[in-house]
Amino acid sequence: MQEISGASGQPLSGKTVAVVHAAWHSCGSYQVNVSQIAAYRALGARVLSIAMMDDIVGGPINAGRWEAYVAATGGIGADRRFYSGAPLSALAGRLLVDGWWRLIHGDQASWLIELARRAPLPDGIESEAIDLIHTNHYFTLPFVETLKRGRRIPVLLETQDIQARQYVLRNKGGFFIPPYATYDDMLAIELDWMRRADINVHLNEEEHRDFQQLLPEARHDLIYPAVPETPRAGGREIIIVASDNYANYLSLRWFLTEVVPLAAGARVGIYGNIDSGVKNRDPELYEAHRALFRGRVEDIGAVYANAGCVLLPTVEGHGLSIKAVEALSCGAPLVATPLAFRGMRVDPTALDNLALAQDAAQFAAFWRAAQDRADRGETPPAESATRRLYEEAFSPQAYARTLARALETLPA
């Protein structure tokens, strides 16, 4: 667990906070959950992690997807961990009608809600006296209602983007049958559940503005996510770090097809499980660039520590990019597209160690220049403009301070 110093006192001393989140790992959302837990502990709370599987789950925690999740999340930092998800027995009820039938038409919003309705309370949770629930994504709220068991417990919902946008993007790469679920259909479900939270917390400027307009009667706060600090960059390798989601696939496809042919032999190592995403969606593209992929590594910090430059070839996606914030944290020179800084209250042109590319040719030129610096043996300085931005806006200390202010006005 990452310790947070500098938080203003411990206003939650003696309180128990349940952080409810999707059972995801090796992605930006998992890092957000780690930082939430660390922040609440810094504020004095005892923290429970409650992981929810976003699929039907069968078998014990030490089997199947649960086994992989538990093995990859040993550093989550909670005082006690719980797990839940819709069991296989749910198929014997109305799940096929209420959820799966809608899913095959692309309605992922309804499917996740129906799964959460059927997620049971985990064994042992009844012994916990919970004072606050910090839940992530609207689709965990049916489970939160079960967790409250009719008690008055304040609920803070962290939205992490408009999920209906993600579903529309994800549906482009899936196989569904008409009539197709629309963005408006899925957004309506999302907003209906969000009304039940006491505070809706948003992670970026765009999301905060949009939800204020879509749900004006609710309370909304803007709190940038805390992203765990990465080691300072001090190497010479040019890197890309990306997890397997459809937006990252589209961005990397642009990089491989449009930028790489113009880069005149500049080198890059692509880290993260995006390799499997490219291989599954476009085997020929993967084979053509197999040598660039390094796959998922256990210690991503070591990758950043060895970086001389980080490339952010972002051309798709919504919400604030966690990988972009990680890149800010390491302090290395960056080559990026403007979309990499979506949702941030920042002028990227003011960062003197950032080269902002407007098209593929410019991106390739900046990449070649970074390669020349690496070949000359130049390594990033200990301090940089991007590192300072991280400390001021996206560090765990900044998150804990802003979160504490939001909680001061939370209804009892």
Side-chain angles (χ1 to χ4, degrees), residues 240 242 269-276 286 290 292-298 300 303:
I240 292 174
I270 303 172
Y271 292 87
N273 63 354
I274 189 62
D275 61 336
S276 62
Y286 173 79
R290 176 194 285 268
L292 303 182
F293 291 98
R294 306 291 186 266
R296 182 180 180 274
V297 296
E298 291 300 323
I300 196 65
V303 174

Side-chain angles (χ1 to χ4, degrees), residues 335-349:
V335 176
T337 58
L339 193 62
F341 297 92
R342 62 188 185 265
M344 299 184 191
R345 186 179 294 159
V346 58
D347 176 10
T349 63

Side-chain angles (χ1 to χ4, degrees), residues 20 50 52 82-87 116-127 130 133 142-151:
V20 181
I50 306 178
M52 280 188 54
F82 297 93
Y83 312 92
S84 185
R117 288 186 196 275
R118 292 159 174 81
L121 290 176
D123 292 340
I125 196 71
E126 68 279 352
S127 66
I130 298 171
I133 298 173
F143 173 81
V144 168
E145 293 295 316
T146 303
L147 180 64
K148 290 167 68 175
R149 290 177 287 173
R151 296 169 296 173

Side-chain angles (χ1 to χ4, degrees), residues 264-338:
R267 299 182 298 278
V268 66
I270 303 172
Y271 292 87
N273 63 354
I274 189 62
D275 61 336
S276 62
V278 175
K279 186 175 182 179
N280 291 335
R281 295 182 180 99
D282 193 334
E284 291 185 8
L285 183 66
Y286 173 79
E287 289 299 330
H289 300 282
R290 176 194 285 268
L292 303 182
F293 291 98
R294 306 291 186 266
R296 182 180 180 274
V297 296
E298 291 300 323
D299 185 7
I300 196 65
V303 174
Y304 281 110
N306 192 47
C309 178
V310 182
L311 307 184
L312 297 169
T314 307
V315 297
E316 288 285 351
H318 298 286
L320 188 141
S321 169
I322 300 302
K323 294 304 178 187
V325 179
E326 287 182 352
L328 295 175
S329 172
C330 81
L334 309 181
V335 176
T337 58

Side-chain angles (χ1 to χ4, degrees), residues 110-134:
S110 293
W111 171 247
L112 291 172
I113 287 293
E114 296 305 325
L115 289 176
R117 288 186 196 275
R118 292 159 174 81
L121 290 176
D123 292 340
I125 196 71
E126 68 279 352
S127 66
E128 297 287 351
I130 298 171
D131 300 289
L132 169 68
I133 298 173
H134 184 134

